[in-house]
Amino acid sequence: MTKPGRVAGKAALITGGAQGLGEAIAWMLAREGAKVAVTDINGPGALALAARINDEIPGSAFGYAHDVTAEDQWTDVVARAAADMGGLSILVNNAGVGDVLLFSEQDTAENWQRQYEINMRSVMFGCKHAMPHLRASGAASIVNISSIAGLAAGVGMGAYNATKAAVWMYTKTVALEAAKMDWNVRVNSVHPVFIKTAILDPFIAMAGGDEVKAHERLARGIPLKRIGEPNDVAWCVLYLASDESKFVTGSEFKIDGGMTAQ
């Protein structure tokens, strides 16, 4: 007899899901029994990933083009995903962008606005528009992908530090509101350090295109002496999305190889 998955019967919406962390999370949740709605500003990429997941697990994935900075698109995507999957019980606010190492006196209002729109305001839109569907599911989970940069500052990362810190604190606010209202919706944040995704491309460019050298430099400040894999984050999201974490809300989970323990 096949053992049921850890999120069997659940339905998840994952933003920024066409690649990187979002792709790993979508595969992880689908393989553990959930239906998954993958959204991304790269619409063809989201559809392609959904198709690949469906090749392995038929009928489990849906893909949508989605600009997370546009509130009207949130109302449409959430409604479509809930209709296609028969409800919504998991929201993973994963979409995000990073600095290109701009020192404060070099930084621009445009850079700050872009990161605020994508990294922070999209999380608010997601929580706002998914909440009615999540409440209706009976037991739901929101996982907001922040960063270690939201807990520990880094040089040349002002906008990224600030927006990811805002996600951390906003997560706690929504968690407390949901608990106070007895909505049975848990809300937690995940804080990765350097993970092998496209967000490391600027560091690789700084190392002259040498990926191995870039990764070695980044790993020097990590006690486990390596950078992370996308599934290191996906396993944490799986736990928070599952009923195994039914007494966990308003918490932050550091996926950092011990970096912030120093």
Side-chain angles (χ1 to χ4, degrees):
M1 184 174 66
T2 302
K3 183 179 178 180
R6 292 167 63 186
V7 285
K10 296 187 181 294
L13 190 156
I14 304 142
T15 67
Q19 63 285 308
L21 291 183
E23 178 178 1
I25 292 165
W27 275 111
M28 182 73 71
L29 295 180
R31 285 170 173 160
E32 288 291 335
K35 291 184 177 180
V36 295
V38 178
T39 87
D40 203 286
I41 196 165
N42 174 11
L47 289 167
L49 175 58
R52 293 197 300 274
I53 294 173
N54 284 327
D55 284 342
E56 180 179 314
I57 313 163
S60 65
F62 306 85
Y64 313 97
H66 181 199
D67 178 353
V68 295
T69 70
E71 186 168 13
D72 60 338
Q73 290 192 28
W74 268 105
T75 58
D76 177 59
V77 164
V78 169
R80 288 172 61 194
D84 287 341
M85 296 189 295
L88 184 64
S89 49
I90 301 164
L91 170 66
V92 183
N93 280 309
N94 169 70
V97 294
D99 285 306
V100 188
L101 298 178
L102 294 172
F103 289 91
S104 298
E105 66 179 19
Q106 300 168 328
D107 216 339
T108 65
E110 291 77 14
N111 176 53
W112 274 75
Q113 185 65 28
R114 175 173 177 262
Q115 294 200 56
Y116 166 72
E117 295 280 347
I118 298 173
N119 293 350
M120 176 57 223
R121 201 164 76 145
S122 71
V123 174
M124 181 274 288
F125 286 153
C127 293
K128 173 182 177 180
H129 293 291
M131 190 63 79
H133 298 278
L134 296 169
R135 289 168 57 191
S137 74
S141 174
I142 297 174
V143 183
N144 295 327
I145 306 298
S146 179
S147 171
I148 285 300
L151 304 175
V155 173
M157 300 175 66
Y160 192 69
N161 287 144
T163 54
K164 288 301 188 177
V167 171
W168 170 49
M169 195 53 58
Y170 180 69
T171 296
K172 293 181 180 294
T173 298
V174 180
L176 291 174
E177 290 175 352
K180 183 177 180 63
M181 299 302 292
D182 294 325
W183 288 343
N184 203 12
V185 179
R186 297 177 296 100
V187 193
N188 295 284
S189 58
V190 173
H191 300 255
V193 71
F194 306 117
I195 306 293
K196 292 179 184 177
T197 67
I199 203 167
L200 298 187
D201 287 352
F203 298 97
I204 296 172
M206 290 171 61
D210 189 328
E211 183 175 330
V212 173
K213 182 184 292 185
H215 289 180
E216 288 175 348
R217 287 178 179 175
L218 293 172
R220 287 173 187 165
I222 300 174
L224 289 183
K225 298 181 176 60
R226 63 177 177 84
I227 62 174
E229 303 282 350
N231 271 352
D232 293 330
V233 178
W235 282 115
C236 182
V237 173
L238 173 62
Y239 166 69
L240 292 172
S242 76
D243 292 337
E244 297 163 14
S245 57
K246 61 184 177 63
F247 197 54
V248 178
T249 196
S251 295
E252 58 282 331
F253 286 73
K254 303 171 186 176
I255 314 296
D256 71 347
M259 187 175 181
T260 54
Q262 300 179 99

